[in-house]
Amino acid sequence: MNLQNHKDLIQENGFTIINNIFSDEETEKISEFIQHIDTSKETFRKSEDLFAIRQFLKEIPNVKDLIFNENIKSIIKDIFGSDYFVVKSIYFDKPEKSNWYVAYHQDLTISVDRKAELPDFGPWTTKQNQFAVQPPLDILENIFTIRIHLDDTDENNGALKVIPGSHAKEIYRPETIDWTIETEEICRVEKGGIMIMKPLILHGSNRTTNGKRRRVIHIEFSDRELPCGLSWSERMEFEN
């Protein structure tokens, strides 16, 4: 697998798409693990428009070996290096008739183990005993996200739309987007494919219109330790 082109695209545009990373058999096995879990926990969010599992890899540890197959491990090593570890994981299921619309935004917070008064860290939020904070920009710039698609995804069932290159413009408020110079791109990803993105890229998604569900596993990675004894709340090593 020649990954230099994808490495260049991430640097330039803030994202890339690589299909055929998981076989149909692998995606079905992952789906089976998800179907047989207790959904009553606090880390689960369930509504007509969305089913989500926060701390996904902690909640379903048996799925870890399936997700970190040889393809994913070589992609992480060759594109980002051998020192990266998991810092956040979420599962999203956008049902067939979902009206869930996500406006353009950047992913500006990280999940940590506690609240601490640190310079350049803030604002802070707490959800389901989970501390989240906006860290200094250099920490955000160092993170990358892999989105694993368990369904074919296009503009009709909530594929991400992004503004290429916006990851390089630091904090970019959506209300200030200048559409005379920016363009929107729809990220169509096949079942078993992945999208890799920098969290600072402006991204959003539209409502589902074709009656097809969209299931995505969102995993964030970093190779940075946090200052003053603060720790990533979901830190997880994997064999790379």
Side-chain angles (χ1 to χ4, degrees):
M1 197 187 302
N2 182 5
L3 296 170
Q4 186 59 49
N5 179 49
H6 292 291
K7 194 171 182 176
D8 294 342
L9 286 169
I10 295 165
Q11 186 79 21
E12 184 179 342
N13 294 333
F15 76 100
T16 192
I17 292 163
I18 315 176
N19 286 312
N20 303 310
I21 298 304
F22 294 87
S23 66
D24 284 348
E25 183 184 4
E26 286 173 316
T27 57
E28 291 310 315
K29 280 184 178 175
I30 292 169
S31 300
E32 281 176 27
F33 272 118
I34 296 166
Q35 286 164 14
H36 294 100
I37 50 174
D38 172 10
T39 60
S40 64
K41 295 184 180 179
E42 278 190 344
T43 46
F44 294 21
R45 173 183 167 191
K46 201 164 191 175
S47 71
E48 288 182 4
D49 291 324
L50 174 70
F51 173 56
I53 305 172
R54 296 179 186 279
Q55 302 184 36
F56 174 72
L57 291 172
K58 278 189 174 181
E59 292 291 357
I60 313 178
N62 292 341
V63 86
K64 181 180 171 186
D65 289 342
L66 285 170
I67 284 173
F68 291 101
N69 66 10
E70 291 307 313
N71 285 338
I72 285 286
K73 287 193 287 190
S74 68
I75 284 168
I76 293 169
K77 185 177 181 184
D78 290 353
I79 293 182
F80 303 102
S82 55
D83 296 327
Y84 276 77
F85 45 86
V86 174
V87 296
K88 185 187 286 187
S89 59
I90 311 171
Y91 168 76
F92 295 108
D93 179 353
K94 199 171 192 176
E96 293 85 343
K97 296 180 180 177
S98 175
N99 279 319
W100 187 45
Y101 166 85
V102 181
Y104 269 111
H105 66 286
Q106 297 172 297
D107 292 339
L108 295 176
T109 63
I110 60 172
S111 298
V112 295
D113 62 335
R114 61 190 174 88
K115 187 172 181 179
E117 296 301 324
L118 294 172
D120 302 322
F121 277 76
W124 290 80
T125 58
T126 309
K127 276 185 194 170
Q128 292 137 352
N129 299 319
Q130 171 76 71
F131 297 101
V133 64
Q134 183 171 325
L137 195 64
D138 64 306
I139 291 176
L140 289 173
E141 288 173 336
N142 184 254
I143 294 170
F144 73 90
T145 300
I146 293 181
R147 291 170 58 90
I148 300 164
H149 286 65
L150 302 181
D151 302 290
D152 288 329
T153 306
D154 60 23
E155 61 271 32
N156 299 310
N157 66 333
L160 277 197
K161 50 186 184 178
V162 301
I163 298 178
S166 54
H167 69 296
K169 298 182 179 180
E170 301 187 348
I171 305 300
Y172 192 161
R173 298 298 175 195
E175 62 273 16
T176 68
I177 296 171
D178 182 351
W179 289 110
T180 64
I181 59 169
E182 303 289 17
T183 56
E184 177 178 282
E185 188 165 333
I186 303 293
C187 299
R188 300 172 185 88
V189 188
E190 295 172 8
K191 175 183 176 181
I194 66 170
M195 175 185 177
I196 304 175
M197 61 181 250
K198 301 297 289 180
L200 287 176
I201 193 169
L202 278 163
H203 60 284
S205 67
N206 292 333
R207 296 174 177 85
T208 298
T209 58
N210 64 356
K212 294 182 179 177
R213 74 196 295 197
R214 187 211 73 179
R215 294 169 298 160
V216 171
I217 298 166
H218 167 117
I219 306 176
E220 296 177 18
F221 300 81
S222 177
D223 65 350
R224 294 278 295 275
E225 301 300 344
L226 298 174
C228 300
L230 201 62
S231 298
W232 303 94
S233 66
E234 294 180 57
R235 179 178 178 137
M236 182 179 289
E237 304 282 351
F238 60 93
E239 184 189 338
N240 193 342

